[in-house]
Amino acid sequence: MISKAVITAAGLGTRMRNMTLIMPKALLPLIRRNEMPMLVPIIDLIIARLQEVGVSKFMIVVGRNGKPLIDYLMDKLFTDSLKAQISFTFQEKPLGFGDAVLRAEDFVNNDPFFVHADDGILTRGYLEGVKLYEELSPDAVLFLRRVNNPSRYGIAVVRNEGMYNGYGLVRVLNVEEKPSNPKSNIAISAVYIFNRRIFDGLKSAKADGELELTYGIENVINSGGEVYGLLLSDDSWLSVGDPESYFNTIIRTFNLHEGD
């Protein structure tokens, strides 16, 4: 069972600046449909989805604007409305997604764990990813989708391995971060399952500027590690990372039910 998750919430939210001057991206509201629709912060939806697949311990990586998120989650803990163990660690400077994940190394110890960005959520695939990890014991499982504009994303070059529980199963051969000449149109969603080998990959990465998580994944692959991916549908990622994506996500969640 994968009982731990690292949620990265240390970014400055520059693409959503008008909103994130007021609140962190993780507190941007989305519609949750259960017995009745209600607006809830996306962090609630992320935590709930991960709890559904067995995660009970969370490390939230926050940056200089993280106090509202800490206050919100601590209030939920104190009122016992959040059935989880939550810890916080700090990324003092915005040095990249990979650097944020490194902040959680002591929390992870030797256990498998999710990494989940705070600015999006999968509509499907979490349970299948856990099952795949438990069956194959790879070094990483990535959640992938085809996109029309791959230069905006971390992308994966893959080899088809058939089907797995209704999704395409692939072996990841290579990853790149926002390449100007993409070798693939398969984008990496900002949800991952790792073992601790990713930390070695990140520590050995040579980065000019920010340390991206894809640099660590590429080092894992190059050192003989096994990285698999589940190929989801192209609409499987709901994002609040930029104004257009956030607007489209709000429209979509009018028609989504919990568990879709």
Side-chain angles (χ1 to χ4, degrees), residues 94-134:
L95 298 177
F97 194 4
D99 180 79
V101 173
L102 273 176
R103 305 300 105 193
E105 183 176 10
D106 289 343
F107 162 77
V108 167
N109 198 3
N110 291 313
D111 299 319
F113 65 107
F114 273 95
V115 167
H116 204 303
D118 69 335
D119 61 353
I121 188 168
L122 292 171
T123 59
R124 58 184 70 86
Y126 290 98
L127 181 60
E128 289 75 15
V130 171
K131 289 180 177 178
L132 178 63
Y133 183 88
E134 291 175 344

Side-chain angles (χ1 to χ4, degrees), residues 47-260:
I47 290 174
R49 286 291 172 90
L50 293 173
Q51 286 179 314
E52 288 172 0
V53 295
V55 176
S56 58
K57 300 173 184 177
F58 296 84
M59 173 63 75
I60 317 294
V61 185
V62 297
R64 70 187 190 198
N65 298 327
K67 187 176 184 300
L69 177 59
I70 295 173
D71 289 345
Y72 174 77
L73 291 174
M74 290 304 295
D75 182 69
K76 292 178 76 70
L77 287 172
F78 286 135
T79 58
D80 203 32
S81 61
L82 188 62
K83 307 295 184 181
Q85 297 179 34
I86 293 185
S87 305
F88 299 91
T89 191
F90 292 89
Q91 186 187 35
E92 294 83 2
K93 297 179 180 179
L95 298 177
F97 194 4
D99 180 79
V101 173
L102 273 176
R103 305 300 105 193
E105 183 176 10
D106 289 343
F107 162 77
V108 167
N109 198 3
N110 291 313
D111 299 319
F113 65 107
F114 273 95
V115 167
H116 204 303
D118 69 335
D119 61 353
I121 188 168
L122 292 171
T123 59
R124 58 184 70 86
Y126 290 98
L127 181 60
E128 289 75 15
V130 171
K131 289 180 177 178
L132 178 63
Y133 183 88
E134 291 175 344
E135 288 182 22
L136 299 183
S137 297
D139 296 292
V141 172
L142 310 184
F143 297 85
L144 309 170
R145 68 195 195 282
R146 298 187 187 277
V147 296
N148 294 323
N149 48 352
S151 294
R152 290 185 54 188
Y153 302 94
I155 64 98
V157 176
V158 304
R159 183 179 69 222
N160 191 358
E161 298 285 343
M163 298 294 292
Y164 183 84
N165 285 358
Y167 298 107
L169 175 64
V170 297
R171 178 75 177 264
V172 179
L173 306 177
N174 174 256
V175 296
E176 291 183 281
E177 185 64 30
K178 298 178 181 175
S180 56
N181 295 299
K183 300 174 184 176
S184 160
N185 68 341
I186 297 176
I188 306 169
S189 301
V191 182
Y192 315 76
I193 299 173
F194 293 116
N195 63 21
R196 69 159 293 108
R197 194 169 181 176
I198 187 62
F199 297 118
D200 296 329
L202 288 167
K203 290 175 184 177
S204 61
K206 296 178 181 179
D208 290 329
E210 294 186 353
L211 176 61
E212 298 293 350
L213 189 54
T214 45
Y215 303 166
I217 297 170
E218 182 68 3
N219 280 342
V220 169
I221 295 170
N222 289 340
S223 63
E226 291 188 333
V227 177
Y228 284 91
L230 284 179
L231 191 56
L232 310 179
S233 60
D234 58 5
D235 63 348
S236 59
W237 179 245
L238 298 178
S239 173
V240 302
D242 61 77
E244 181 180 2
S245 296
Y246 186 34
F247 176 78
N248 291 334
T249 292
I250 290 173
I251 297 301
R252 281 196 61 205
T253 53
F254 272 106
N255 301 313
L256 281 178
H257 294 272
E258 196 76 8
D260 282 0

